[in-house]
Amino acid sequence: MPVTGNYDAIILGAGAAGLMCAAVAGQRGRRVLLVDHADEVGKKILISGGGRCNFTNINTAPDRYLSANPHFAKSALSRYTASDFIALVDRYGIAWHEKTLGQLFCDGSAKQIVAMLLDECAIGHVDLSLGQPVGAIDHANGLFRVAIGDRTVTATSLVLATGGPSIPKMGATGFAYDVARRFGLKIVEPRPALVPLTLGGDETLFRSLSGVATDVIAKCGKTQFREAALFTHKGLSGPAILQISSYWRSSETVGIDFLPAHGGGWLIEAKRTRPRAGFASTLASALPARLAETLADRLALSGELSTMTDRKLTEAEQRLADWRFTPNGTEGYAKAEVTAGGISTAELSSQTMQAKRLQNLYAIGEAVDVTGWLGGYNFQWAWASGWAAAQSI
């Protein structure tokens, strides 16, 4: 006879991945308990996208994810796609719209996505345990035992879906890593991702531009993103910076092209057509005035264009096209949208998300070393990895 417990599966973490996994497994006839120490489900879903939930991205592809194994995400992403999740959203009559770069948002509220997932869990007769701390977890004789509050529940399968430590004010912790280590799984060192960068030293003067935003290309290594950058009282933020932060490592520089729409030679051309124009005012025709003044000061170029040699203007162009900042850090997990690193993909099956070392132990979503770009990619990984695990439970 097979070993049986109270449940077929206990899923720890009622965020995006956990809710999806619970709903799908429940609808496959599995007895599922979905557990969260918070008093309500989907807290990060509710705050995402300014409360409208950027629930997927139509441009989802494996090359838009960071992982020690760049191929790991392919299987899950190919079997549960953005179109599959859109079909679910449409079935519930939730109105949505596409913003820039393939990002899909609810017309109304992120609460609609949480309500939809809870309804899907109800269809699968999923039991919920909320607002109770999870204590000891062990495994013996084919069963996982989990202490929840003052009771202990058992299941054949255990799913780690508690995410990473980003946004601790939402109750996020490194709990999944502790459990994974308990069962011998390796962890890729976690770090904040999709996070603002901080500036120090002589670059602190750029903090005086707090609130100024402009379209840029942000570069780190061979990776680059063209979106808005925002100066803050601590350093750099905005979509382009959040994107590049996932690739940035301590002591590396970040390159900023402040004028991505301008080709080579534009300053020399401006000198010929408007020789009496000032250098700072010429920059201000393409950039916010405060930023133009700061960059002109840093370049030590003032006065009319006609007083400057073509060589000087070419050098200025080159600097403006690849302005190097050396961040002294990030704003940390408190401001990071996600966590890079996590449970090593080398420990998991890419098809089922099951641990290779221990049968019926699974890890999904942000807890795993798979981190998407900004713009709905991390939600799509949550849906896809949750769905993949649910097929195996």
Side-chain angles (χ1 to χ4, degrees), residues 137-201:
I137 298 172
D138 59 51
H139 180 264
N141 303 317
L143 284 178
F144 288 94
R145 271 177 287 279
V146 181
I148 304 168
D150 57 3
R151 66 181 177 135
T152 297
V153 290
T154 60
T156 340
S157 297
L158 180 69
V159 183
L160 303 179
T162 55
S166 57
I167 320 183
K169 70 179 180 183
M170 304 294 294
T173 68
F175 179 81
Y177 311 150
D178 297 336
V179 179
R181 287 190 188 99
R182 158 85 176 74
F183 293 114
L185 276 58
K186 292 185 175 67
I187 307 297
V188 174
E189 184 179 0
R191 57 193 172 85
L194 300 181
V195 63
L197 299 174
T198 57
L199 298 174

Side-chain angles (χ1 to χ4, degrees), residues 99-227:
K99 279 195 176 179
T100 57
L101 305 170
Q103 303 170 53
L104 304 190
F105 289 78
C106 297
D107 285 2
S109 166
K111 292 177 182 177
Q112 295 172 283
I113 298 295
V114 173
M116 174 189 80
L117 292 166
L118 280 172
D119 284 352
E120 287 289 293
C121 284
I123 293 168
H125 306 290
V126 172
D127 287 346
L128 279 172
S129 172
L130 301 175
Q132 293 286 323
V134 174
I137 298 172
D138 59 51
H139 180 264
N141 303 317
L143 284 178
F144 288 94
R145 271 177 287 279
V146 181
I148 304 168
D150 57 3
R151 66 181 177 135
T152 297
V153 290
T154 60
T156 340
S157 297
L158 180 69
V159 183
L160 303 179
T162 55
S166 57
I167 320 183
K169 70 179 180 183
M170 304 294 294
T173 68
F175 179 81
Y177 311 150
D178 297 336
V179 179
R181 287 190 188 99
R182 158 85 176 74
F183 293 114
L185 276 58
K186 292 185 175 67
I187 307 297
V188 174
E189 184 179 0
R191 57 193 172 85
L194 300 181
V195 63
L197 299 174
T198 57
L199 298 174
D202 67 348
E203 291 179 335
T204 55
L205 71 90
F206 284 96
R207 296 188 202 164
S208 65
L209 297 173
S210 183
V212 173
T214 189
D215 183 49
V216 304
I217 294 174
K219 298 172 272 191
C220 187
K222 294 180 180 178
T223 305
Q224 61 180 43
F225 294 94
R226 180 171 178 175
E227 286 191 74

Side-chain angles (χ1 to χ4, degrees), residues 245-264:
S245 73
S246 297
Y247 294 82
W248 176 81
R249 297 301 182 100
S250 180
S251 80
E252 290 182 341
T253 63
V254 169
I256 301 292
D257 181 350
F258 281 113
L259 296 158
H262 288 65

Side-chain angles (χ1 to χ4, degrees), residues 18 63 145 182 271 283 314:
D63 65 358
R145 271 177 287 279
R182 158 85 176 74
K271 181 172 91 167
L283 287 189
T314 300

